[in-house]
Amino acid sequence: MGSVGGMADEIVVGVDGSAAALDAVRWAVGEAVSRKLPLRLVYAADVTGGRFDAGFPVPQSYFDELERAGQQLLAEAARAAGTAAVITEMPLEPPASFLLRLSETARMVVLGSSGRGGFTGMLAGSTAVSVSAHARCPVAVVRGEAHPRGPVVVGIDGSPTSERALAVAFDEAAWREVSLVAVHAWSDADYGLPLPAPDVDWAQVEREQHSLLAQRLAGWRERYPEVRVDRVVVRDRPRDELLSRSDGAQLVVVGSRGRGGFRGLVLGSTSQALIHHSRCPVLVVRPHTG
């Protein structure tokens, strides 16, 4: 088994033998090949899991069987990767904690949208949510269908997290040589603001929102002149607009928590909704941390 300290700038995929995990492996292969990055397949097995009472010795035969089953699952995942060169690893610890440590040096962590669950389940929904919420690098949750020539869609709300998501989205669109759809969906209700007076000039509000979006895009459009950008401003809940646009998209990029989130929540309602319901793969981005 490898050492976390020796890893750097690679794409990490969590596997557990489920169909969703194998889909994640196949998707990650394309990402690794296009970026010329190593691909690491990880099967993490928590040896506690409630199977044995505290202090009760675990027989060696159990570890032998766990090793055999884990290596079999990793071999299956490696076959799904096709001709791509892969590194496999099977740590005996909870999957979320191991993946979070890998995220400190990885370019991206890739997970299936759901997994087998249970004792050795690698990609149960809670694991995908936990890793997306805390990882130091972007986390891709592979679900739905990635349309090869579809656009990259990004949600923008002006928060620091969405600013980083915008940077990642431009990079993704440039790599994939597709257009970028920048969605600025705003809603008073989402931000907890009081209801507006009935005489609000909504046309003026709309112009101001378009202006804000243009300002946020300006610097990035100069840095990525080859990326065509479609600007979308709607008065709607961000998650509804992004979910709608995920149908036909290649990838949706979203910040882990927007400006409408409550303090203390590490994963916002928009990113949660996309992880569970998007019709294409989702890339969840957290703000830079020290």
Side-chain angles (χ1 to χ4, degrees), residues 11 17 120 156 166 172 183-185 214 226 228 250 253 255 268 282:
I11 292 181
T120 58
I156 305 170
L166 182 58
E172 290 291 330
V183 176
H184 174 54
E226 74 280 15
R228 193 191 84 209
Q250 183 170 159
V253 183
V282 178

Side-chain angles (χ1 to χ4, degrees), residues 92-244:
L92 297 179
E93 67 175 275
S97 62
F98 188 75
L99 289 170
L100 289 175
R101 285 198 290 130
L102 290 182
S103 76
E104 295 177 5
T105 53
R107 179 77 65 88
M108 180 188 298
V109 172
V110 182
L111 302 174
S113 58
S114 60
R116 300 175 67 173
F119 173 55
T120 58
M122 180 67 184
L123 300 178
S126 60
T127 299
V129 170
S130 178
V131 174
S132 299
H134 298 285
R136 297 291 294 272
C137 68
V139 175
V141 178
V142 178
R143 54 170 301 109
E145 180 181 356
H147 296 268
R149 300 312 303 168
V152 170
V153 177
V154 61
I156 305 170
D157 66 6
S159 66
T161 307
S162 83
E163 290 300 314
R164 189 179 178 217
L166 182 58
V168 170
F170 264 101
D171 188 61
E172 290 291 330
W175 269 109
R176 300 162 189 273
E177 299 182 340
V178 296
S179 62
L180 176 66
V181 178
V183 176
H184 174 54
W186 57 282
S187 166
D188 297 330
D190 270 0
Y191 300 149
L193 299 177
L195 291 175
D199 59 349
V200 167
D201 184 348
W202 289 112
Q204 176 61 26
V205 171
E206 178 112 358
R207 287 192 292 271
E208 291 172 354
Q209 297 298 327
H210 276 281
S211 178
L212 286 172
L213 178 56
Q215 292 172 24
R216 289 173 183 137
L217 293 173
W220 295 110
R221 297 191 71 170
E222 293 175 5
R223 189 175 303 183
Y224 293 92
E226 74 280 15
V227 176
R228 193 191 84 209
V229 179
D230 297 324
R231 295 183 293 182
V232 177
V233 176
V234 292
R235 187 183 176 202
D236 193 5
R237 294 191 302 177
R239 57 183 173 271
D240 292 342
E241 185 67 20
L242 292 172
L243 284 172
S244 175

Side-chain angles (χ1 to χ4, degrees), residues 13-18 21-22 25-26 29 39-44 66-90 116:
V13 190
V15 302
D16 69 352
S18 68
L22 293 180
V25 170
R26 297 184 187 99
V29 166
L39 182 66
R40 182 174 295 270
L41 308 181
V42 176
Y43 170 74
L66 190 64
E67 174 79 16
R68 185 200 65 77
Q71 293 300 337
Q72 183 175 341
L73 289 177
L74 286 170
E76 181 184 13
R79 287 193 296 271
T83 58
V86 300
I87 305 164
T88 59
E89 186 159 16
M90 195 185 82
R116 300 175 67 173

